[in-house]
Amino acid sequence: MTDLNIWFDKGMTRYAYINSMKTHKENLLTIYNSFVLPDPMKDALQGMQKSRLRAIVITEDWCGDAMLNLPVFMRMADEALIDIRFILRDQHPELMDRYLTNKAKSIPIIILIDENGKEILKWGPRAPKLQQIVEERKKKIPSKDDPRYEKAFKHFAEKISSLFTTDHALWEEVSLDIIKKLLVKLNANSL
């Protein structure tokens, strides 16, 4: 397996990624600027600073899940001092193919690594509660061969984007799912 340090070095910084965005940039920044971590989570994340974690995020700016998950994760990374690098999925299929979700190239994928480039945790593309919401709403969309599919899917995407941009409880779900999994991994690695 290719050393993840190489992928980290290839990635864009947070600022380069945000500046390159053509889609969902305003929504991502709105969430980032509005999301406030609860104090106990800030304390837990600050306690992780000594772990010197870094993150590789496989993403694309058109992705609604990335629009929601990435600013939440960036807020968390600020507290834990996690340096993040962004890799565009469609430009790097060789990395994406290592992190498929049920054989799909679903994004975003957040790969947390230690300073040696060893993978600590893979998270994504969605927190379980968000997965339930998306699956429930997708049931209402006709099948892809139905002539109404395109219009229905566009309507679904607009509604989900609006929900993801405004529902603070969903932002909290993402942060809780990430920190819960991260704490379990870090505690397991320290034993």
Side-chain angles (χ1 to χ4, degrees):
M1 219 179 229
T2 306
D3 181 39
L4 290 171
N5 278 327
I6 294 169
W7 285 106
F8 182 83
D9 292 341
K10 281 185 184 183
M12 288 185 278
T13 65
R14 174 192 314 203
Y15 306 105
Y17 172 70
I18 292 171
N19 286 331
S20 75
M21 292 179 76
K22 307 276 187 268
T23 310
H24 291 310
K25 181 178 183 175
E26 287 180 30
N27 289 339
L28 179 140
L29 290 172
T30 295
I31 295 170
Y32 178 79
N33 290 324
S34 302
F35 182 57
V36 177
L37 292 162
D39 287 337
M41 189 179 294
K42 280 184 183 179
D43 293 342
L45 288 163
Q46 289 168 3
M48 294 177 196
Q49 291 175 0
K50 64 186 175 298
S51 298
R52 302 179 57 137
L53 296 173
R54 295 175 296 146
I56 301 165
V57 176
I58 306 170
T59 191
E60 289 287 343
D61 70 346
W62 46 257
C63 176
D65 289 309
M67 173 196 75
L68 165 62
N69 296 331
L70 297 187
V72 169
F73 178 66
M74 288 187 292
R75 274 282 170 224
M76 297 173 76
D78 291 345
E79 296 298 329
L81 299 181
I82 298 171
D83 194 3
I84 308 171
R85 293 295 184 272
F86 297 84
I87 299 284
L88 298 179
R89 179 193 80 172
D90 297 343
Q91 292 179 14
H92 299 285
E94 64 278 22
L95 181 62
M96 182 70 246
D97 289 346
R98 289 171 43 186
Y99 292 95
L100 300 177
T101 304
N102 301 322
K103 299 182 183 176
K105 295 182 178 191
S106 302
I107 51 176
I109 299 295
I110 298 169
I111 308 155
L112 286 157
I113 61 174
D114 66 16
E115 55 194 335
N116 297 317
K118 179 181 174 236
E119 181 178 320
I120 302 298
L121 175 72
K122 173 238 171 215
W123 186 91
R126 286 188 192 114
K129 182 166 181 141
L130 275 76
Q131 183 66 27
Q132 286 178 316
I133 291 168
V134 169
E135 286 174 5
E136 281 299 315
R137 290 178 179 226
K138 273 190 173 179
K139 287 179 185 176
K140 299 172 185 165
I141 300 174
S143 65
K144 287 186 179 183
D145 56 356
D146 188 309
R148 299 170 301 158
Y149 173 79
E150 289 295 327
K151 185 177 179 181
F153 185 80
K154 185 177 180 189
H155 180 72
F156 159 81
E158 289 168 357
K159 290 288 188 190
I160 283 290
S161 284
S162 176
L163 180 68
F164 284 2
T165 308
T166 58
D167 190 336
H168 293 233
L170 296 180
W171 307 351
E172 289 179 28
E173 281 295 324
V174 170
S175 66
L176 288 170
D177 191 55
I178 293 171
I179 198 164
K180 179 176 66 176
K181 290 178 176 153
L182 185 53
L183 287 171
V184 166
K185 283 291 186 175
L186 290 176
N187 288 335
N189 286 347
S190 68
L191 298 176

